[in-house]
Amino acid sequence: MNENKPHILVVDGMALLFRSFFATAHSGQFFRNAFDVPTNGVQGFARHTMSAISIFQPTHLAVCWDMGSKTFRNELFSDYKAHRPAPAPELVPQFDMAREVSEALGWKSYGIKNMEADDLIGSLVETWKDEAKLTVVSGDKDLLQLLKPEVSIALTKKGFTQYDEYNEARFIEEYGITPAQFIDLKAFTGDSSDGYPGVKGIGPKTALKLIQQYGSVDGVLAAREELTAGIQKKLATDEEILMISRELATIHCQITLDDPLDQLLIPAFTEERAQLMEQQGYSMIAKQGLATSPF
């Protein structure tokens, strides 16, 4: 690995915001500001990002956001994420607040209507994979499909400092397939959290064996006559949803995000920024920023 390459930390802002909100909301700790607006998710997101900067020592940073609950995937499959409950009223104002804080701290943010944060993360990886090392911070295992020689995925594990970090070699060793084939695996198994079913009756172990043997969804379908009668029947029943599930599982990496790399440079956390955070009621951000800033 070329240590002289820029190192971009790509943060799943939505994942860290939700994680931070629920970490304290269960005990009623919303850290309300002077206007009685909760700030627990916002402050947790920013503090988590600051800790990640300290841990991974990137030179550049990008934060990715969802922009609304509906995306092109809802047009493909109406039940996509439809079962998820509406966000808690204490969380609702913090979506905009988190993006505003990110921008106030000088962190480059990305959010595009009709696209998920995952698609923005994937597009950033595709844009910079040949020119930079990338570390993606999220809690979403779907992002493992983005692993490449210069790309690692750090899955949140505990608190602000513990991660389960995957590189391409670890993934291949554990799963016996390539990261790109993770999409085909999810096409068969579906995703209960996202609300799409995959093929009923084909679980993770069977799906993994099929992908290991035949390489892809298309490979399995082409070899269906070699399969057991039970699996053939399941494919015949759910072939249409299998193809839709593959599309839903695929992170789209073709969004044009070609801002100059220097726009992603991590700015210093200055006394002025600390004062701004204090004035806006984000005292924990101010404190951690001054404590962890490498500048």
Side-chain angles (χ1 to χ4, degrees), residues 267-288:
F269 190 89
T270 61
E271 287 283 355
E272 289 76 16
R273 281 202 163 96
Q275 291 173 9
L276 176 62
M277 291 297 101
E278 287 280 6
Q279 290 166 4
Q280 295 182 353
Y282 302 125
S283 58
M284 290 184 290
I285 297 176
K287 182 178 179 180
Q288 179 150 341

Side-chain angles (χ1 to χ4, degrees), residues 3-282:
E3 296 300 333
N4 293 321
K5 279 188 173 183
H7 180 187
I8 306 172
L9 183 69
V10 183
V11 171
D12 183 344
M14 302 305 299
L16 297 194
L17 178 65
F18 274 93
R19 178 183 176 85
S20 299
F21 176 80
F22 288 111
T24 55
H26 74 280
S27 59
Q29 293 179 296
F30 294 109
F31 307 118
R32 296 178 183 272
N33 62 19
F35 301 98
D36 202 35
V37 178
T39 69
N40 59 324
V42 177
Q43 298 208 72
F45 147 72
R47 294 175 65 205
H48 205 143
T49 301
M50 289 172 174
S51 293
I53 292 170
S54 297
I55 292 166
F56 297 107
Q57 295 291 299
T59 55
H60 298 72
L61 173 68
V63 186
C64 297
W65 303 98
D66 293 345
M67 299 297 287
S69 60
K70 300 293 184 182
T71 70
F72 71 94
R73 290 182 177 86
N74 298 101
E75 298 168 12
L76 287 170
F77 188 64
S78 60
D79 285 342
Y80 182 73
K81 295 187 177 180
H83 66 293
R84 293 189 177 184
E90 293 88 355
L91 176 59
V92 172
Q94 297 190 66
F95 293 123
D96 288 339
M97 291 161 63
R99 289 192 294 270
E100 290 165 1
V101 163
S102 183
E103 291 166 5
L105 294 172
W107 298 343
K108 180 67 175 178
S109 287
Y110 290 95
I112 296 178
K113 189 177 180 181
N114 205 38
M115 306 301 293
E116 294 186 41
D118 285 4
D119 302 309
L120 299 168
I121 292 169
S123 296
L124 283 166
V125 166
E126 186 64 26
T127 298
W128 296 111
K129 68 182 190 300
D130 296 326
E131 299 176 49
K133 172 187 173 183
L134 295 104
T135 300
V136 178
V137 169
S138 178
D140 187 354
K141 281 193 172 183
D142 289 355
L143 294 166
L144 292 174
Q145 66 186 262
L146 301 176
L147 286 166
K148 292 174 175 61
E150 293 281 3
V151 179
S152 62
I153 309 294
L155 298 171
T156 52
K157 190 175 180 181
K158 186 177 181 181
F160 290 162
T161 59
Q162 294 186 28
Y163 292 92
D164 189 14
E165 190 170 0
Y166 275 84
N167 58 25
E168 187 178 44
R170 178 190 169 187
F171 179 90
I172 293 170
E173 182 179 354
E174 286 191 10
Y175 285 85
I177 57 176
T178 68
Q181 289 173 308
F182 193 56
I183 299 167
D184 299 87
L185 180 66
K186 291 207 64 178
F188 280 107
T189 62
D191 189 319
S192 59
S193 66
D194 286 342
Y196 62 91
V199 178
K200 188 176 181 180
I202 294 184
K205 290 184 179 179
T206 300
L208 185 58
K209 288 179 181 178
L210 289 171
I211 300 304
Q212 288 171 337
Q213 184 168 358
Y214 298 106
S216 66
V217 167
D218 293 335
V220 172
L221 294 176
R224 70 173 75 209
E225 293 182 2
E226 301 176 17
L227 306 175
T228 66
I231 291 178
Q232 287 187 46
K233 183 177 180 181
K234 290 167 185 173
L235 290 175
T237 301
D238 285 338
E239 183 172 345
E240 182 180 358
I241 195 62
L242 171 65
M243 305 310 287
I244 292 173
S245 294
R246 181 172 66 173
E247 185 69 16
L248 294 172
T250 301
I251 294 175
H252 289 256
C253 303
Q254 293 77 39
I255 305 168
T256 302
L257 300 173
D258 55 358
D259 301 294
L261 190 57
D262 61 10
Q263 289 192 15
L264 279 64
L265 281 168
I266 303 172
F269 190 89
T270 61
E271 287 283 355
E272 289 76 16
R273 281 202 163 96
Q275 291 173 9
L276 176 62
M277 291 297 101
E278 287 280 6
Q279 290 166 4
Q280 295 182 353
Y282 302 125

